[in-house]
């Protein structure tokens, strides 16, 4: 049984890591002014944050179904099955797109996996799945392992300005709650596949402190992967990583970023921390 691993661009897995683990990537789209870009292919995160200084506010879109069909048909030439790992189905139609395309392609069994999150935490699932393929496991064996890992994984994040999330319709709360949150820096997270406020916190510094508390409680001295994710704030993220590495020797930290699609909805200056237990 030959198994391929696909994820979408919002995992923001660096190209060399994708190549190392043979992970195939399908890009989501950013519409900036009159231009349509496939993120991570023809628009890097750095270019995006530069562009939005002068352009109108961007919008985003899931991969066209035809692109999924094209990719799966190509994979069908060399593989029997594919695990297609995607950002939360509560915030994008990408996961559903993978399922629909799976019905249209012959000779390839498509297993779509909803990470119920996004960014490098989604990347953790894709990398673990790829390692399991290397260990000789099939999709039917890998999916339950990914489901189990879900119980150990979480992400919290904060934004400088909630209006991007509100405008893009990706903040799931009553308008009155959102109104009261606009004055503070709420800590956000995913619940039942949707983005919801976790706690109201007044400053970014306090929000970061609270995330660290939550990390400590969740990991409890066990071996975990964790990732610090930033929207064009690399230095700040590096400093935070160095502090966290001192405090949590059992956790393997990495650094990642909110690229163009997720950056459109969160805005520059956002920061997040996600984790997953090591197998
Ligand atoms: C689409 O147009 O289909 C993509 C929509 C993406 C919405 C992104 C909303 C923010 C996600 C934040 C993830 C934070 C993970 C740590």
């Amino acid at each position: 049984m030959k198994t391929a691993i696909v994820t979408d661009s919002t995992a923001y897995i660096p190209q060399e890591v994708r190549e190392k683990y043979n992970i195939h990537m399908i890009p989501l789209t950013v519409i900036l002014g009159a231009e349509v870009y496939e993120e991570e292919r023809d628009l890097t995160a750095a270019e995006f944050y530069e562009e939005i200084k002068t352009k109108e506010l961007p919008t985003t879109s899931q991969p066209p179904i035809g692109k999924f069909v094209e990719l799966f048909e190509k994979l069908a030439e060399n593989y029997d099955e594919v695990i297609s790992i995607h950002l939360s189905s509560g915030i994008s139609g990408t996961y559903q797109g993978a399922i629909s395309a799976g019905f249209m392609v012959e000779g390839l069994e498509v297993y779509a996996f909803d990470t119920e999150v996004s960014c490098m935490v989604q990347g953790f699932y894709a990398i673990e799945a790829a390692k399991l393929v290397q260990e000789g496991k099939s999709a039917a064996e890998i999916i339950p392992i990914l489901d189990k890992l879900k119980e150990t994984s979480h992400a919290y994040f904060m934004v400088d300005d909630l209006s991007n999330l509100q405008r893009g319709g990706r903040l799931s709360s009553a308008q009155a709650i959102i109104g009261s949150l606009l004055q503070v820096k709420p800590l956000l997270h995913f619940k039942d596949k949707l983005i919801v406020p976790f706690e109201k916190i007044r400053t970014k510094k306090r929000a970061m402190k609270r995330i660290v508390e939550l990390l400590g409680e969740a990991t409890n001295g066990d071996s975990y992967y964790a990732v610090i994710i930033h929207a064009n704030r690399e230095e700040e993220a590096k400093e935070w990583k160095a502090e966290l590495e001192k405090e949590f020797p059992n956790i393997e930290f990495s650094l990642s970023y909110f690229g163009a699609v997720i950056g459109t909805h969160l805005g520059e200056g956002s920061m997040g921390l996600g984790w997953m237990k090591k197998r």
Side-chain angles (χ1 to χ4, degrees):
M1 189 65 93
K2 278 200 81 187
T3 312
I5 301 298
V6 167
T7 193
D8 62 72
S9 55
T10 69
Y12 303 116
I13 304 177
Q15 189 174 344
E16 64 277 12
V17 180
R18 276 189 268 123
E19 280 168 10
K20 176 175 171 195
Y21 290 108
N22 196 21
I23 296 171
H24 303 265
M25 187 272 273
I26 183 153
L28 277 79
T29 306
V30 180
I31 302 105
L32 250 174
E35 304 291 329
V36 179
Y37 299 94
E38 288 187 341
E39 72 161 350
E40 300 290 290
R41 285 221 175 124
D42 39 42
L43 186 71
T44 65
E47 286 162 347
F48 168 76
Y49 289 110
E50 195 49 45
E51 286 282 319
I52 55 167
K53 290 197 170 103
T54 52
K55 295 252 167 68
E56 279 170 43
L57 292 166
T59 55
T60 65
S61 171
Q62 67 197 65
I65 189 88
K67 290 272 176 189
F68 262 121
V69 172
E70 203 178 289
L71 173 62
F72 289 166
E73 276 177 348
K74 197 148 185 11
L75 291 174
E77 292 169 14
N78 295 304
Y79 295 93
D80 307 299
E81 54 178 19
V82 59
I83 307 178
S84 207
I85 298 173
H86 298 292
L87 77 163
S88 178
S89 61
I91 56 167
S92 172
T94 306
Y95 164 79
Q96 198 50 53
I99 294 177
S100 305
F103 290 125
M104 296 176 197
V105 177
E106 302 221 332
L108 185 77
E109 194 69 43
V110 176
Y111 294 76
F113 184 78
D114 182 353
T115 62
E116 305 184 29
V117 65
S118 180
C119 302
M120 194 56 199
V121 185
Q122 172 185 333
F124 287 161
Y125 288 102
I127 292 169
E128 283 309 300
K131 286 182 183 167
L132 287 159
V133 167
Q134 285 175 355
E135 290 167 25
K137 298 248 186 313
S138 68
E141 292 169 306
I142 295 170
I143 299 287
I145 300 175
L146 299 185
D147 280 333
K148 202 90 197 117
L149 285 173
K150 220 182 237 183
E151 292 165 18
T152 73
S153 179
H154 210 82
Y156 293 92
F157 52 102
M158 60 220 150
V159 299
D160 263 0
D161 179 359
L162 262 187
S163 56
N164 292 306
L165 265 177
Q166 191 190 14
R167 199 191 65 239
R170 260 65 177 208
L171 187 59
S172 301
S173 266
Q175 277 308 316
I177 297 177
I178 295 177
S180 73
L181 290 173
L182 289 168
Q183 328 311 328
V184 293
K185 296 245 175 289
L187 203 52
L188 303 167
H189 74 150
F190 281 87
K191 191 164 182 253
D192 301 329
K193 305 176 188 177
L194 300 172
I195 298 172
V196 294
F198 176 71
E199 271 172 16
K200 273 191 193 179
I201 297 185
R202 292 215 167 265
T203 66
K204 187 170 180 177
K205 213 169 158 198
R206 279 197 200 160
M208 286 164 83
K209 205 166 159 250
R210 181 71 179 116
I211 298 180
V212 176
E213 263 174 37
L214 292 161
L215 173 72
E217 284 165 19
T219 59
N220 198 22
D222 289 341
S223 293
Y224 270 75
Y225 297 110
V227 60
I228 293 135
I229 313 169
H230 68 92
N232 214 20
R233 293 289 182 275
E234 190 166 0
E235 280 316 305
E236 196 184 328
K238 276 186 179 160
E239 279 172 30
W240 200 21
K241 178 171 176 272
E243 287 168 23
L244 291 169
E245 277 169 339
K246 275 192 220 142
E247 197 173 335
F248 298 98
N250 292 332
I251 301 179
E252 186 178 330
F253 288 95
S254 55
L255 207 63
S256 186
Y257 55 90
F258 295 115
V261 166
I262 302 298
T264 295
H265 295 272
L266 296 188
E268 197 173 354
S270 305
M271 190 78 81
L273 182 65
W275 55 81
M276 178 183 282
K277 196 170 183 177
K278 290 189 178 179
R279 275 193 290 135

